[in-house]
Amino acid sequence: MKNWFLEGKDPFVMKAGEHKLLYEQITEEGWPIDVRVGRHSSATLKVAELCSELNPEKAIVIRGVPRYA
């Protein structure tokens, strides 16, 4: 039995992809967890960066988080 969570090959998500219900294209390769975590980390860092630019007196500092390449 394959681990859908780690490989990102959930049959329900794959079906949603076939019907163009996702924001990102998905193939039979799936979305492995390292890709998903990298994207979420990069998005979180970008939100913190933008919030800090809008409110420099309340800047959010996050260090040591790798970004999605």
Side-chain angles (χ1 to χ4, degrees):
M1 180 177 189
K2 293 187 176 193
N3 189 330
W4 293 344
F5 180 73
L6 293 177
E7 294 178 0
K9 295 180 182 179
D10 183 326
F12 298 105
V13 174
M14 301 296 280
K15 185 57 96 176
E18 290 174 17
H19 292 284
K20 310 256 189 261
L21 298 173
L22 305 174
Y23 291 105
E24 197 62 46
Q25 183 178 359
I26 188 166
T27 67
E28 50 282 338
E29 300 295 317
W31 287 328
I33 194 165
D34 57 336
V35 171
R36 289 179 282 146
V37 168
R39 287 180 177 166
H40 292 317
S41 295
S42 290
T44 301
L45 291 171
K46 182 51 89 174
V47 169
E49 179 185 317
L50 294 173
C51 286
S52 295
E53 286 179 14
L54 291 173
N55 299 298
E57 67 284 351
K58 296 180 182 178
I60 301 169
V61 178
I62 303 173
R63 293 187 179 107
V65 180
R67 291 189 176 263
Y68 180 64

